[in-house]
Amino acid sequence: MIAVAIDGPAGAGKSTIARQAAKAMGFIYVDTGALYRAIGLYALQNGVDLSCERNVDQMLSDIKITLSFVNEEQRVLLCGRDVSMDIRTPEVSMAASNVSALPKVRAFLFDLQQEMAHTHNVVMDGRDIGTVVLPHAQLKIFLTASPEERAKRRYEELLQKGAQVSFEDVLKDLKERDYQDSHREIAPLKPAQDAVLVDTTACTLQQSIDRIIDLIKERLS
C-alpha cells in the first residue's frame, strides 16, 4: 500500500488539496482532523469541560466514530449520525485543537488511522501524520501558507457557508490554534525531517493541487 502524509497548520488548504490529489491518483483521502473535530463536537454538545482531561478521557467510551466514503467523499459518522458539516465551525475547530493535545484521545484515534493506511492507498492529512501516525509513509509533505492568507481562505469559506464571522476573529482564532498545535506536549505540529515543504501563499488552488500530484508521481516513479 502507498501512503502519502500531508501535515500543516490550520487553513493551509490540506483537506481540499489532499482530497483532489487523492482523487486524481485513485487513492482514498483520509481527513484525520475531522476525527478530532468529531470528538470536539461531542464534547461541546454534551457539556464536557475541555479543560478537564479526566472528563474528556471518560467520555471516549461513549463515542463511536466511523468513516464512510460516498462518491469518493469522506463522511464522518459520530455515534451513527453524519456530522460532516457540523464539525466545520470555528468553535469546533478550537475544541478539536484542545482535545488533540490529550494522550488518550490520540490513542483512541491512532488505530483507526493506521488501519486505513494498511488497507488502502491513502492520502492522509493532519498535524502529525508524517511524524507520528505514518512515520514510514512513502511521501511526506508539510503544506503551509502565511497566517493572513490562511485566514483569508478560511474566512471566505465560512462566508460561503453562511457563517457570521469577521476576518479579524478568524485570523485571531487561527493564530491561537497555530500556537496550541505547535506547543502541545503530545505530537506537536512540525515538519517531519524528510518532509517536502510546500508553501502555497502565492499559489492558486489548482497550482497547489498540481504540485502535490507531481510530488506523488515523482515519488512513485
Side-chain angles (χ1 to χ4, degrees):
M1 293 297 155
I2 305 299
V4 178
I6 301 180
D7 293 311
K14 296 187 303 295
S15 297
T16 302
I17 294 169
R19 182 186 300 111
Q20 293 301 319
K23 184 176 182 180
M25 298 300 300
F27 288 13
I28 290 292
Y29 164 61
V30 182
D31 173 10
T32 63
L35 304 176
Y36 290 98
R37 286 172 176 270
I39 292 179
L41 175 65
Y42 185 92
L44 292 173
Q45 290 180 334
N46 290 275
V48 177
D49 182 0
L50 292 175
S51 67
C52 179
E53 183 173 353
R54 180 181 176 185
N55 288 351
V56 176
D57 291 347
Q58 288 177 339
M59 80 175 187
L60 293 176
S61 61
D62 299 323
I63 296 177
K64 181 179 180 181
I65 301 174
T66 55
L67 299 179
S68 65
F69 295 88
V70 180
N71 296 325
E72 300 180 345
E73 290 289 327
Q74 175 182 283
R75 310 300 295 179
V76 182
L77 304 180
L78 175 61
C79 300
R81 187 170 71 88
D82 189 335
V83 295
S84 303
M85 295 298 294
D86 300 336
I87 60 177
R88 297 300 172 184
T89 68
E91 184 181 24
V92 172
S93 178
M94 289 304 297
S97 184
N98 289 329
V99 300
S100 67
L102 304 179
K104 288 190 177 179
V105 172
R106 304 197 73 81
F108 179 76
L109 295 175
F110 184 78
D111 290 343
L112 175 59
Q113 296 172 64
Q114 285 217 322
E115 180 184 355
M116 294 298 297
H118 289 155
T119 55
H120 301 86
N121 292 326
V122 298
V123 176
M124 187 178 294
D125 76 342
R127 299 292 192 280
D128 65 343
I129 308 306
T131 54
V132 177
V133 179
L134 301 178
H136 302 299
Q138 286 86 345
L139 174 62
K140 302 172 190 176
I141 296 168
F142 193 83
L143 189 70
T144 190
S146 70
E148 291 74 19
E149 178 63 23
R150 289 186 283 122
K152 175 175 173 287
R153 295 171 185 173
R154 181 60 58 83
Y155 173 66
E156 292 174 349
E157 177 185 359
L158 290 169
L159 287 184
Q160 289 176 357
K161 293 179 179 178
Q164 300 295 316
V165 294
S166 70
F167 173 79
E168 290 74 17
D169 285 343
V170 173
L171 179 60
K172 178 175 177 288
D173 287 346
L174 184 143
K175 287 183 175 180
E176 287 179 358
R177 177 145 197 199
D178 282 353
Y179 184 86
Q180 286 185 357
D181 289 345
S182 59
H183 287 79
R184 66 191 184 205
E185 278 190 47
I186 305 297
L189 171 67
K190 62 180 181 180
Q193 287 188 346
D194 53 347
V196 179
L197 178 64
V198 177
D199 189 323
T200 67
T201 301
C203 298
T204 66
L205 175 59
Q206 191 57 54
Q207 287 172 335
S208 301
I209 294 169
D210 290 343
R211 174 63 176 147
I212 301 305
I213 292 173
D214 287 344
L215 286 171
I216 297 173
K217 289 179 176 178
E218 287 173 13
R219 191 56 53 95
L220 290 178
S221 64

